[in-house]
Each structure stands twice: as C-alpha cells, then as structure tokens.
Amino acid sequence: MKVPFLDLSRQYRYIKNNIFLGFEKVFEKQNFILGRELKEFEQKMSSYLNSNFAIGVASGSDAIWLSLLVLGIGKGDEVITTSLTHSSTVTAIIRIGAKPVLVDIDDKTFNINPGAIEEKINSRTKAIIPVHLYGQTADMNFIMEIAKKHKLFVVEDACQALGAEYGGKQAGTIGDLGAFSFYPTKSLGGYGDGGMIVTNNSKYYDKLLQLRNHGEINNNYSEIIGVNSRLDTLQAVILTEKLKYLDNWNGLRVEHSKLYKKLIEEKALNNYIEVPYESEMSTHIYNLYTIKVKNNRFELNKFLSDNDIGTKIYYLTPIHLQNAFKSLGYKKGDLPNTEKVCDEVISLPIFAELRDDEIELVVNTIEKFYKKGKK
Ligand SMILES: *Cc1c(COP(=O)(O)O)cnc(C)c1O
C-alpha cells in the first residue's frame, strides 16, 4: 500500500458536482474577472473569520506584499520576520524595497520567538510579520504588545493557518492585516493560485481594492498606481464550495494528529521522534504534521520513501542560508534554533481524507526503521 503525502483527488470526488454547476454559471455570464461570485466569497470569508473586510488577490505572496504596500512600507524601512518560512514571506519585504530582519524561532512551536524581537527593533523598524507555521499561530499577545509599545504594524502570514484560533480570534485577524494563500496544498486550496488579505480597517480595504486592480475605481481611470493581482471568479467558485467543509476538514486533520500521537506513544517511538507541540493559546489546524527526528533524519526519510510513504521536509534550508538571500548578510550559526530545527524536521502525510489504516502504516514503518536489527 502507498500512503501519499497529500491526495487532493479524494476530496475532489465529493465536491466535483457543485463546482461544475458553479463553473457553468460563470461560463454563461463570462464574468471571469471581479465577478459577483468573488464578492460573495469575500463576504463569506470575512464572516467566517469574523473580520470586517476580505480582499481576494492573486496569491499569498501578493497578499503579504500588498499588505506592506498599503501600510506605506518601503525603502529605508525594516521588517522583522522569521527565517523558518516559505521564501515568499521574506521576498515580499524585499519586493517592497524594505530590509528583512530575521529573528530566531521558539524551537517548541516552530514560530518566531517573541522574546527575541525587541533587540532587533530600531528607528527604521516599521512592521513585524509573524508566520503561523504548519497551522498553529505565533504568540500573538506578546507580539501585539511589542508592536504597540514600539508603534509597529503587524501583518500576519496566515497562509498555513486558515481556521486556527488564538485566544478566541481567527488567525489572520489579530494584526493590522492578515495574508492567506489558496495554493492547492493549503487547507483551503484552489485549483490554481490565489490569496486573500483580511483587515478590520476600512481605509486599508478601500485602498487595497484599488491596488489589486491597477489603481482603478472606475474602468480605465487610475486613481493611484496599482497592479494586476485579483482572485479569479472561477477560483472563488471553487473556494466558496470548499469553505463549506473547511471546519470539518480541519477537524479531521486534528483527529489524524491525535491518532499519530497515540500510536507513536504506544510504540514508545517518542524516544526517537517528537510529535508536534500544541500551545495552550492557539488551536492547531495541522496544515502540516511536522515531527522532529533526533537522529538519522535523512535515513528515516529515505526509509519511508522506499516504503512508498510520502513525506516532505519543510524546510530543509532556512531563508538566511539560501543563496538568494545571501546579501542580507547572515551566516551559519546566526539563528541556532532555526538551523537545528531544519536539521530535524519531517512532515508526515496529513489531509482530511487520510485513513486510519494509512496512519497506522506510517507509524508502523517508522517503528520498523528504529527497531530493525533489534529483534
Ligand atoms: C504558501 C505560503 C506562502 C505563499 O503563498 P502563495 O499563494 O504560494 O504565493 C507564503 N507564506 C507561507 C508561510 C506559505 O506557506
């Protein structure tokens, strides 16, 4: 039996009919750009998240970049974030013309260590971008306190955490703006690229509506300089259908995480691998199920793949050690917790439709790896 890292075709079978019905309406109307279905999806998302406004954009990367743009961040400014993230978090800062300042993580939660932020703040610092990695939020109370004290903006990179809650609030709605991605592998994934910005601030909302659409209010009159970064009407149709199931799917991911934990502990594999830590303040939606492997990470990873079990490593190389970001001037040893975690992590299969027998096989295979030769 093969256990895929992620198999989206299983959910596709359930939602296919409604998606095609929705497509047909759009095809009939030919309203592919900024159609009514997009507006409806934006309204559904803002009510799901309990946020005043939601703006569909072309990708999660653009959602972060446009958030920085609407805040007026640019040349000469510094923005603090983490090095354990997808490159686009950091690239958004560079793209806006500002300087990324990378802070080490808390190696339990994998998220930015708020205690390490303040020492990096100076007169050029304008914003903090916490990344809610793998589906669990950063310590937002601590971060918001620092931001308030130093008058900094907070843009949440919630691309991996749609549906996670922190202190009763939805991930992405705590800072000034929150960025989401609908990349197919995210917990709410489209059939192509897409992203969303959420905010409670009507000024940012009005301006973002223009920024994503060439700076236009009416056709062919640009009030400000904008770009083309819109969420397609067709993607909105798919995402509206999938949003109906999001809580259910996130709940199934949590159940799978519990089964993983139970089996790993039953087999005493927690001497070899560490299951994800769950913080008290944040729920975890398990966009990724990431374990820490104390020894022989690559050997275990290879053993799993030789046994047809899909895994991935998020992330093998932290941002500050990737060639593209060399000019930021970091070197090995600068962010020790981040580097240590990159040497230890493996993400195991997790998605709503994953079956219990598949989880059992994954854990049995891990057991085989550690206990082989000990019989
Ligand atoms: C996926 C992701 C992004 C980028 O989203 P895209 O839609 O692929 O541009 C940014 N940050 C994090 C943490 C992500 O996981």
Side-chain angles (χ1 to χ4, degrees):
M1 186 168 79
K2 275 189 185 181
V3 186
F5 181 68
L6 173 65
D7 180 1
L8 290 166
S9 64
R10 296 185 195 177
Q11 66 169 218
Y12 170 64
R13 282 178 223 132
Y14 286 104
I15 55 181
K16 187 174 168 173
N17 287 344
N18 279 349
I19 285 178
F20 274 88
L21 285 173
F23 271 12
E24 214 168 353
K25 287 188 193 145
V26 175
F27 289 146
E28 289 296 339
K29 286 187 285 189
Q30 299 280 306
N31 61 342
F32 301 114
I33 305 295
L34 300 179
R36 199 193 67 204
E37 289 78 0
L38 172 60
K39 183 117 210 146
E40 284 168 3
F41 176 58
E42 289 170 338
Q43 280 161 356
K44 291 213 162 86
M45 279 290 283
S46 55
S47 83
Y48 175 81
L49 294 167
N50 201 15
S51 152
N52 289 350
F53 306 106
I55 306 107
V57 296
S59 67
S61 309
D62 272 11
I64 303 167
W65 175 74
L66 285 162
S67 296
L68 297 174
L69 188 63
V70 82
L71 291 171
I73 290 167
K75 205 162 184 274
D77 297 335
E78 293 185 4
V79 177
I80 290 173
T81 192
T82 160
S83 185
L84 190 69
T85 182
H86 185 262
S87 65
S88 59
T89 318
V90 178
T91 301
I93 301 168
I94 295 170
R95 208 164 27 129
I96 209 77
K99 180 183 165 193
V101 175
L102 303 174
V103 168
D104 209 357
I105 55 160
D106 170 343
D107 65 356
K108 260 195 335 221
T109 64
F110 302 110
N111 284 322
I112 193 166
N113 173 9
I117 292 177
E118 233 169 348
E119 64 196 64
K120 297 289 171 74
I121 294 174
N122 60 45
S123 60
R124 294 180 297 279
T125 312
K126 288 286 151 33
I128 306 169
I129 307 183
V131 179
H132 306 319
L133 206 69
Y134 308 142
Q136 181 171 245
T137 74
D139 185 349
M140 289 305 292
N141 281 351
F142 198 160
I143 291 167
M144 295 309 289
E145 224 169 81
I146 296 169
K148 198 167 168 202
K149 182 170 158 201
H150 297 274
K151 298 193 167 56
L152 307 177
F153 296 114
V154 174
V155 174
E156 296 175 68
D157 180 342
C159 289
Q160 294 184 12
L162 177 55
E165 277 182 22
Y166 177 93
K169 286 187 183 161
Q170 285 283 331
T173 66
I174 302 162
D176 297 279
L177 298 129
F180 293 99
S181 166
F182 304 124
Y183 186 79
T185 64
K186 307 288 156 119
S187 44
L188 184 66
Y191 293 169
D193 278 308
M196 184 158 271
I197 304 166
V198 298
T199 183
N200 286 323
N201 182 313
S202 63
K203 281 197 199 100
Y204 298 156
Y205 174 66
D206 290 341
K207 197 160 180 198
L208 283 164
L209 287 179
Q210 295 177 35
L211 286 171
R212 75 162 176 194
N213 190 34
H214 308 294
E216 294 179 9
I217 302 177
N218 299 311
N219 273 347
N220 299 317
Y221 181 88
S222 293
E223 187 63 33
I224 53 174
I225 302 269
V227 296
N228 175 349
S229 182
R230 299 168 301 226
L231 182 66
D232 287 339
T233 310
L234 286 173
Q235 293 301 336
V237 166
I238 297 159
L239 294 163
T240 300
E241 184 58 25
K242 291 180 80 168
L243 182 60
K244 294 179 191 164
Y245 304 98
L246 182 66
D247 282 343
N248 181 21
W249 287 338
N250 281 347
L252 287 167
R253 288 171 183 270
V254 171
E255 278 181 30
H256 298 333
S257 78
K258 288 189 178 138
L259 183 57
Y260 267 127
K261 183 168 194 270
K262 177 172 162 273
L263 295 174
I264 286 167
E265 283 170 2
E266 268 173 19
K267 294 175 185 298
L269 291 170
N270 43 345
N271 294 322
Y272 307 98
I273 62 180
E274 215 175 282
V275 300
Y277 171 83
E278 292 183 0
S279 91
E280 279 165 23
M281 284 298 283
S282 174
T283 61
H284 202 320
I285 56 105
Y286 288 101
N287 187 231
L288 294 165
Y289 188 86
T290 303
I291 58 167
K292 280 196 237 169
V293 183
K294 284 159 201 158
N295 294 300
N296 307 325
R297 190 255 313 255
F298 285 123
E299 289 82 350
L300 172 60
N301 200 36
K302 183 172 182 304
F303 189 77
L304 290 171
S305 106
D306 289 347
N307 285 279
D308 289 329
I309 288 165
T311 64
K312 291 214 192 273
I313 294 177
Y314 296 102
Y315 296 92
L316 189 56
T317 312
I319 298 297
H320 71 285
L321 300 179
Q322 294 183 22
N323 187 53
F325 303 99
K326 224 171 161 168
S327 66
L328 297 179
Y330 293 89
K331 58 183 187 316
K332 213 171 160 68
D334 284 346
L335 302 172
N337 286 343
T338 305
E339 292 166 31
K340 184 162 95 31
V341 156
C342 287
D343 287 337
E344 292 179 347
V345 286
I346 294 183
S347 299
L348 301 178
I350 196 155
F351 50 97
E353 302 76 15
L354 188 67
R355 299 188 313 264
D356 287 358
D357 63 309
E358 293 178 309
I359 296 173
E360 280 158 22
L361 182 62
V362 174
V363 178
N364 287 344
T365 310
I366 295 173
E367 183 183 34
K368 230 196 236 166
F369 174 78
Y370 283 111
K371 309 219 164 139
K372 71 182 164 182
K374 289 191 184 163
K375 287 205 176 115

